[in-house]
Amino acid sequence: MLKINQRLLLRQFLRHAHNQVRVRFAPSPTGYLHLGGLRTALYNFLYARHLGGKFLLRIEDTDQTRLVPGASERLVEDLRWAGIEIDEGPGFGGEYGPYVQSQRREIYSKAIEELLQNGSAYRCFCTERRLDLLRKEALRARQVPRYDNKCRHLTAAEVDALMSKGTPNCIRFKLTDHEEPLDDLIYGHVHHNVSDNEGDPVVMKSDQFPTYHFANVVDDHLMGITHVLRGVEWQISTTKHLLLYKAFGWQPPKFGHLPLLVNADGTKLSKRQGDIGIQHFRQRGYFPLALINYVVSAGGGFEHRANAKQQLLSMQELGEQFHIERVNSHPSRLNPELLDDLNRLEIEHRLSGKESRGELVQQVQELVKEAYPKHSNLDLAEDHILDVLNWSSQRLTLLQDLTSSKLSFLWVKPSDFQLKDLTPQQLINLLKELDSHQDFTKDELNVKLKNFAQTEQLKFPLMMKALRAALSGLKEGPGVAEMMEILGKTVTLERLKEGMPQESVNVIQKL
């Protein structure tokens, strides 16, 4: 059984409260990480890093009916992929564990006893049938359904009698008026008196699992959390949490609520949209840093520079420059086009470093092999891939774009094709002309090819058709000159030589 020395934990909490910022990301494993969750985790992480604090991960799995197998593991994997380092949490160590709520039930039981003893909570014996009737009656009267606090007024003798019969019960917290406004780190003074609109909430269910609100407060206190940054949808519940802190006699952390993330048209993002899951972005081939910069571009937290060139900041730079007071209080609009721009910037950035450049080449090699598993004659030389990446960095958004059918000629070498429409001497002249050409760009190549066809008295369309087949084996696709530019001089000459009939090869060997 887990033993907790609360005095020791309180001393540790006070020490951390004065000396170190401690924040947490506390998701429920009822689904997978999406943009909204990533934004919450990221801003907590950046806040901690900016102030030299700690970032904790806590899994809030009290709703056992909605758990998704493997969701916790996937969530950790997505956070680490994004570059968010976990200082404490399940599998990461820390002196405040366990960091999974279902493993902390004894802690909650002791905490709930404290509330029962000081009169802040009470046992409720109302059946689900009675609660359902209350809901229906409220809806019929066009009122917001709320518990009528009936069991709050049971005498001790009545409670003992019901308990002796083994009557199922939950535990509710007594809501009181809370007139003090919340000093929100982002929204400023916010006032909401929860007792005006709600009945006493359940804090411990009949299955002995705590509700979100109760476990959240207990864990934040015992884990020494100094600042709570979460979505604005939780702002209305914060008054309830502050009342719980007051009932325990605990000092609450500071709260900051992050504005809604919305689509470019202002509509709310939804977890049910498959295209906002982090796995979606990973599978499409977006880089972590591009996605991170995309998220912060919408929510603020950084100095705004008018007309500044778009930058891709590292996680360290983001942490150094982050300021919570600069986070927007209005809904944060996401611009998908910006994500594409940022991903192109990331490709450029990776091409500039020796190690990251090598990793890019390996990624392209794997992508091409997956896209063309039946081809054994793939052109995957490092120099060729680097030429393609340099060409594509300003044109394509994702590495996966390089494996589209229109660009298959980049990787799949033509087989069993011979350049019979040009004489051996014409082929030799063409190779010499291309080899001597320094400006290997589409426009310059077009001019040279037209001049060559005219000089050699070749029909230009017929020559281009033959060259297209030799370079790509395709009947359609980019123009021949553009193909040559993309392939680069070395690969272009190699493929033309490979497409030469044996007669032309013999002529060259005699020269």
Side-chain angles (χ1 to χ4, degrees):
M1 297 292 286
L2 189 65
K3 295 183 178 180
I4 296 294
N5 186 328
Q6 288 195 340
R7 287 186 179 179
L8 175 61
L9 284 172
L10 183 57
R11 285 201 300 271
Q12 291 172 332
F13 166 71
L14 291 173
R15 183 178 75 244
H16 282 293
H18 287 93
N19 298 329
Q20 187 182 60
V21 165
R22 289 172 62 80
V23 299
R24 50 58 168 187
F25 177 52
S28 298
T30 55
Y32 300 119
L33 189 65
H34 54 89
L35 280 180
L38 177 64
R39 192 271 303 266
T40 299
L42 176 63
Y43 275 40
N44 275 282
F45 176 73
L46 294 178
Y47 188 68
R49 288 297 179 265
H50 182 74
L51 296 172
K54 296 290 185 181
F55 173 78
L56 286 67
L57 174 68
R58 184 173 72 228
I59 301 299
E60 301 198 337
D61 61 345
T62 56
D63 190 348
Q64 296 283 297
T65 62
R66 298 175 57 223
L67 299 185
V68 174
S72 295
E73 293 77 8
R74 174 70 64 80
L75 187 142
V76 170
E77 183 191 338
D78 284 341
L79 288 175
R80 298 183 75 176
W81 170 84
I84 296 175
E85 300 167 358
I86 300 166
D87 298 313
E88 298 177 28
F92 296 90
E95 55 185 300
Y96 296 90
Y99 293 91
V100 179
Q101 286 188 337
S102 59
Q103 299 170 15
R104 298 172 61 82
R105 292 173 66 184
E106 185 178 345
I107 296 172
Y108 304 134
S109 294
K110 290 180 179 178
I112 209 75
E113 281 301 321
E114 186 174 337
L115 291 186
L116 287 169
Q117 288 173 16
N118 69 22
S120 299
Y122 61 91
R123 295 187 183 278
C124 174
F125 300 89
C126 292
T127 63
E128 190 58 44
R129 182 173 180 275
R130 180 178 186 274
L131 296 175
D132 190 48
L133 287 172
L134 283 176
R135 281 191 290 269
K136 289 179 178 177
E137 183 60 34
L139 292 173
R140 192 177 299 114
R142 296 185 177 181
Q143 297 175 346
V144 177
R146 56 186 290 178
Y147 179 56
D148 60 1
N149 301 346
K150 175 187 176 184
C151 290
R152 183 198 274 216
H153 308 291
L154 292 176
T155 65
E158 289 173 323
V159 170
D160 290 342
L162 289 166
M163 291 292 289
S164 65
K165 296 177 185 177
T167 307
N169 64 92
C170 64
I171 297 174
R172 291 182 182 271
F173 175 65
K174 293 180 180 178
L175 290 182
T176 56
D177 289 342
H178 185 80
E179 299 299 336
E180 296 177 16
L182 164 68
D183 190 12
D184 196 296
L185 292 170
I186 295 167
Y187 286 83
H189 289 311
V190 177
H191 187 269
H192 177 70
N193 195 343
V194 67
S195 63
D196 288 343
N197 303 302
E198 296 184 34
D200 293 339
V202 175
V203 287
M204 184 72 77
K205 294 174 283 187
S206 58
D207 62 3
Q208 302 307 302
F209 269 91
T211 58
Y212 161 79
H213 301 290
F214 180 74
N216 185 280
V217 167
V218 172
D219 289 344
D220 281 349
H221 173 71
L222 294 181
M223 291 181 182
I225 300 303
T226 61
H227 297 76
V228 173
L229 304 180
R230 57 191 178 191
V232 71
E233 64 271 21
W234 294 109
Q235 192 180 66
I236 198 170
S237 299
T238 303
T239 300
K240 197 180 303 181
H241 297 174
L242 291 172
L243 288 171
L244 279 165
Y245 278 104
K246 186 177 180 181
F248 278 115
W250 294 343
Q251 178 69 34
K254 294 181 179 179
F255 291 91
H257 292 90
L258 304 171
L260 288 175
L261 273 181
V262 297
N263 296 306
D265 61 1
T267 57
K268 185 180 177 181
L269 290 181
S270 169
K271 293 181 186 180
R272 294 173 179 81
Q273 291 174 251
D275 58 355
I276 70 165
I278 303 309
Q279 281 295 311
H280 164 79
F281 295 101
R282 293 182 63 175
Q283 290 164 4
R284 287 203 61 198
Y286 286 101
F287 288 104
L289 206 53
L291 190 62
I292 289 297
N293 277 261
Y294 175 54
V295 169
V296 301
S297 70
F302 302 87
E303 183 180 353
H304 177 70
R305 297 172 184 171
N307 303 318
K309 183 181 178 182
Q310 183 63 54
Q311 286 183 301
L312 190 75
L313 298 178
S314 68
M315 194 66 90
Q316 181 178 341
E317 290 170 326
L318 288 169
E320 290 170 353
Q321 297 180 25
F322 180 76
H323 290 279
I324 190 68
E325 60 270 17
R326 289 180 177 153
V327 175
N328 301 329
S329 61
H330 54 76
S332 306
R333 291 182 182 240
L334 290 166
N335 177 9
E337 291 180 4
L338 178 59
L339 177 58
D340 292 343
D341 292 341
L342 289 166
N343 211 60
R344 281 190 285 271
L345 281 176
E346 176 66 355
I347 292 175
E348 286 182 47
H349 174 71
R350 292 185 177 224
L351 279 171
S352 65
K354 185 177 180 181
E355 185 176 340
S356 55
R357 185 165 60 238
E359 291 172 354
L360 270 187
V361 169
Q362 290 180 1
Q363 273 186 271
V364 172
Q365 288 172 335
E366 291 302 316
L367 286 169
V368 173
K369 289 175 184 177
E370 290 174 12
Y372 304 101
K374 296 180 181 179
H375 292 273
S376 58
N377 60 332
L378 295 174
D379 194 346
L380 296 176
E382 182 175 345
D383 288 344
H384 171 54
I385 292 175
L386 286 174
D387 285 341
V388 171
L389 286 170
N390 285 318
W391 166 83
S392 66
S393 62
Q394 291 293 326
R395 296 170 174 85
L396 303 177
T397 300
L398 306 166
L399 291 184
Q400 276 88 332
D401 294 342
L402 293 172
T403 62
S404 70
S405 58
K406 290 182 179 180
L407 295 177
S408 63
F409 69 90
L410 290 172
W411 319 113
V412 182
K413 296 180 181 179
S415 56
D416 302 325
F417 175 81
Q418 292 188 344
L419 270 166
K420 295 180 179 180
D421 295 307
L422 282 76
T423 66
Q425 189 58 52
Q426 286 172 332
L427 284 171
I428 293 169
N429 293 342
L430 177 61
L431 291 173
K432 286 181 179 179
E433 177 68 26
L434 292 173
D435 194 24
S436 65
H437 198 51
Q438 297 302 316
D439 190 359
F440 218 72
T441 59
K442 178 181 69 173
D443 293 339
E444 289 296 321
L445 285 167
N446 257 325
V447 173
K448 290 292 182 181
L449 289 171
K450 286 179 181 178
N451 290 340
F452 178 82
Q454 201 170 28
T455 301
E456 297 291 335
Q457 297 183 341
L458 288 166
K459 291 183 178 179
F460 184 69
L462 186 64
M463 182 186 80
M464 297 300 269
K465 182 179 179 182
L467 292 179
R468 174 189 293 282
L471 292 171
S472 68
L474 301 174
K475 295 181 180 180
E476 295 180 349
V480 172
E482 186 175 4
M483 276 189 186
M484 289 181 171
E485 178 186 355
I486 298 170
L487 290 170
K489 183 193 291 187
T490 301
V491 174
T492 296
L493 294 176
E494 283 177 359
R495 292 197 182 180
L496 291 178
K497 288 175 184 177
E498 289 171 0
M500 293 173 69
Q502 188 60 44
E503 179 187 355
S504 299
V505 173
N506 294 338
V507 172
I508 291 177
Q509 290 174 344
K510 289 177 183 180
L511 295 175

